[in-house]
Amino acid sequence: MTTPLLPQGLAIAWLVLAVLLEVSGTYLLKLSDGMKRWLTGGVGILLVVGAFAALAQAIKGMDLSVAYAVWGGAGLVITAIVGMLAFGQRIRPSGWAGIALVIAGVVALKLL
Amino acid sequence: MSFHWLVLLAAIAVEIVATAALKSVVSAPFMVTLLPLILIGLSFTLLSVALRVIPLAVAYAVWEGLGIVGIAAAGHLLFGEHLTPTRIVALCAIIAGIVLLERGVGGEAEEREGRLA
């Protein structure tokens, strides 16, 4: 992107908000059991839509491909760690290696 | 390919279109900016249907992996974003990491099946 519409610091703040909204939204979507609990699923979809609105702000200041990869990767890592802390999901060594790879990729995208 | 896999692929396709549209309408009037948001709602509704049959770990790895590839391609082809070698390596690392992560997290269902024993 040659002419960012937004300073990068602000863009990153919107991206962080987008990740948090997406993690909460997908969590509710899981609880909805394939939309059988439609109210829970409906709120989940609203949060995901909110996450996209925040992502739309973020990409005013950074490339779409970078923003999306950071968003997806960070969302998955946070979801896995929340699953471990809150619900006792086990993360095997290969899972931790995956987390390290995602973080390394996100850092490389942002810094290099 | 089963019905639910087709639904998952449709959800991913709609999501890639929605994200690319998001970039296109950034400076458009407010009502136009609602369109990608409606699309993303549709995509997640499709995803929730696919999740009735496809295990969450599998669906998410496919969802994120194909999404990242599709959106990197859209960014490159439609918006002239540079796909430098560093970026390609970083994207591959994220996708490989997602696959490893999804395979390496034990859910309740897996424990019931004794795969973690």
Side-chain angles (χ1 to χ4, degrees), chain A residues 13-82:
Chain A
W14 278 112
L15 189 58
V16 169
L17 180 65
V19 169
L20 295 179
L21 283 171
E22 196 233 1
V23 169
S24 341
T26 46
Y27 177 64
L28 287 182
L29 212 59
K30 284 171 214 166
L31 288 187
S32 83
D33 195 16
M35 284 297 157
K36 281 173 202 148
R37 297 182 189 160
W38 60 271
L39 190 59
T40 309
V43 174
I45 286 182
L46 279 183
L47 286 178
V48 169
V49 168
F52 250 68
L55 186 66
Q57 297 305 310
I59 59 179
K60 289 179 180 176
M62 64 175 72
D63 276 353
L64 178 68
S65 46
V66 172
Y68 187 84
V70 170
W71 184 52
L76 263 178
V77 167
I78 294 174
T79 304
I81 291 175
V82 166

Side-chain angles (χ1 to χ4, degrees), chain A residues 1 26 29-30 34-35 45 48 52 60 63-66 68 72 76 89-92 94 98-99 105, chain B residues 15 19 23 26 40 44-45 48 52 56 60 64 71 81 87 90 97-98 101-106 111 116:
Chain A
M1 187 182 284
T26 46
L29 212 59
K30 284 171 214 166
M35 284 297 157
I45 286 182
V48 169
F52 250 68
K60 289 179 180 176
D63 276 353
L64 178 68
S65 46
V66 172
Y68 187 84
L76 263 178
Q89 271 188 337
R90 281 188 248 171
I91 300 182
R92 289 186 286 263
S94 64
I99 289 176
Chain B
E15 202 229 359
T19 311
K23 175 106 178 176
V26 149
I40 209 62
F44 262 74
T45 308
S48 71
R52 285 178 187 168
L56 186 71
Y60 259 81
E64 290 289 359
I71 283 156
E81 295 179 357
R87 278 194 179 179
I98 287 169
L101 174 56
E102 295 298 357
R103 292 174 57 95
V105 174
E111 288 184 49
L116 277 182

Side-chain angles (χ1 to χ4, degrees), chain B residues 70-81 83:
Chain B
I71 283 156
H76 182 66
L77 297 174
L78 301 177
F79 307 114
E81 295 179 357
L83 271 180

